[in-house]
Amino acid sequence: GAGVSQTPSNKVTEKGKYVELRCDPISGHTALYWYRQSLGQGPEFLIYFQGTGAADDSGLPNDRFFAVRPEGSVSTLKIQRTERGDSAVYLCASSSLAGGYNEQFFGPGTRLTVL
Amino acid sequence: AQSVSQHNHHVILSEAASLELGCNYSYGGTVNLFWYVQYPGQHLQLLLKYFSGDPLVKGIKGFEAEFIKSKFSFNLRKPSVQWSDTAEYFCAVNRMDSSYKLIFGSGTRLLVRP
């Protein structure tokens, strides 16, 4: 596609539920990133994929958060036993890393609200 | 821990005024530097980037930024702002000896009054 797409655009869930957020990167981009943006803050890194593997998952806050990218394209961020503090906008970005340059292109985000 | 500081959280300017937004980072090694902009209702877009070479970089829409290594700074400038520049601006840093993750500042909300 022309840009990074994310679905759903909005997700409202109840505390304790499981949610999945999807990211479709720019075609051909090998690197994919997830960030979380809380109100009044800049995006905060969660995890980075190079191809199918998680190259850096140091930003995942705890073991309730998990992400996959099984075929090296689409990625899913999974949150178990959601808590109210998980409410945020979840951003996905991708980059080609051509020439070693890390220019990341962001999607519109998924706004997650945990009631 | 490494961090990125944007000291101005809210800036209000009149059209045609000059703009300078500060960005400082705390890491001493080689870095790539970015400014992203988020217009109301839109997603993050890259304004400009510094990888190497000339420390004065020019971006889209008349924006520029200067990398001053000795000051660990990458301030964003525009000589004459327009109402359409109203947006939130984020500075971000990527450490070259680390993964490709970006560390963002907390952002500066710019309001330009017509």
Side-chain angles (χ1 to χ4, degrees):
Chain A
V4 178
S5 61
Q6 293 185 245
T7 54
S9 54
N10 281 284
K11 176 71 177 178
V12 180
T13 191
E14 293 179 342
K15 181 175 177 295
K17 299 289 188 183
Y18 168 83
V19 297
E20 289 190 352
L21 311 179
R22 176 189 166 109
C23 172
D24 213 326
I26 292 172
S27 179
H29 279 191
T30 57
L32 184 147
Y33 314 80
W34 285 98
Y35 295 84
R36 176 169 71 173
Q37 187 173 18
S38 301
L39 198 62
Q41 300 295 319
E44 176 190 21
F45 170 77
L46 295 176
I47 186 169
Y48 148 57
F49 287 90
Q50 179 67 286
T52 60
D56 182 355
D57 64 358
S58 62
L60 295 178
N62 51 59
D63 61 6
R64 294 187 298 104
F65 288 74
F66 189 69
V68 295
R69 194 186 185 200
E71 297 178 357
S73 179
V74 171
S75 176
T76 305
L77 178 66
K78 307 181 181 193
I79 311 174
Q80 298 177 320
R81 304 183 304 280
T82 52
E83 299 177 356
R84 292 195 180 87
D86 298 335
S87 296
V89 176
Y90 288 80
L91 298 170
C92 179
S94 70
S95 64
S96 68
L97 298 181
Y101 295 122
N102 179 26
E103 182 172 338
Q104 297 185 20
F105 296 85
F106 282 81
T110 292
R111 183 175 297 278
L112 175 66
T113 303
V114 182
L115 301 176
Chain B
Q2 58 187 0
S3 67
V4 178
S5 298
Q6 292 183 243
H7 305 294
N8 311 103
H9 298 295
H10 291 89
V11 173
I12 301 174
L13 295 173
S14 298
E15 275 195 316
S18 64
L19 170 72
E20 180 159 2
L21 302 182
C23 173
N24 288 88
Y25 61 94
S26 63
Y27 175 64
T30 304
V31 293
N32 289 340
L33 299 159
F34 306 83
W35 276 97
Y36 281 85
V37 61
Q38 189 165 26
Y39 297 103
Q42 297 187 27
H43 58 273
L44 278 169
Q45 301 172 37
L46 184 67
L47 256 187
L48 46 78
K49 58 188 181 284
Y50 172 79
F51 291 135
S52 63
D54 188 344
L56 183 63
V57 293
K58 295 192 183 298
I60 60 172
K61 304 186 181 185
F63 286 90
E64 65 178 30
E66 184 174 14
F67 171 45
I68 304 179
K69 189 174 181 179
S70 62
K71 295 185 177 180
F72 301 95
S73 71
F74 190 56
N75 292 354
L76 180 70
R77 299 194 293 246
K78 185 170 183 179
S80 176
V81 294
Q82 300 173 309
W83 174 78
S84 59
D85 293 325
T86 294
E88 189 158 20
Y89 294 80
F90 294 93
C91 179
V93 174
N94 171 216
R95 287 174 51 172
M96 293 301 294
D97 66 349
S98 180
S99 82
Y100 286 104
K101 66 185 178 187
L102 295 180
I103 308 298
F104 282 85
S106 58
T108 297
R109 285 189 180 272
L110 172 66
L111 172 63
V112 180
R113 291 186 167 149

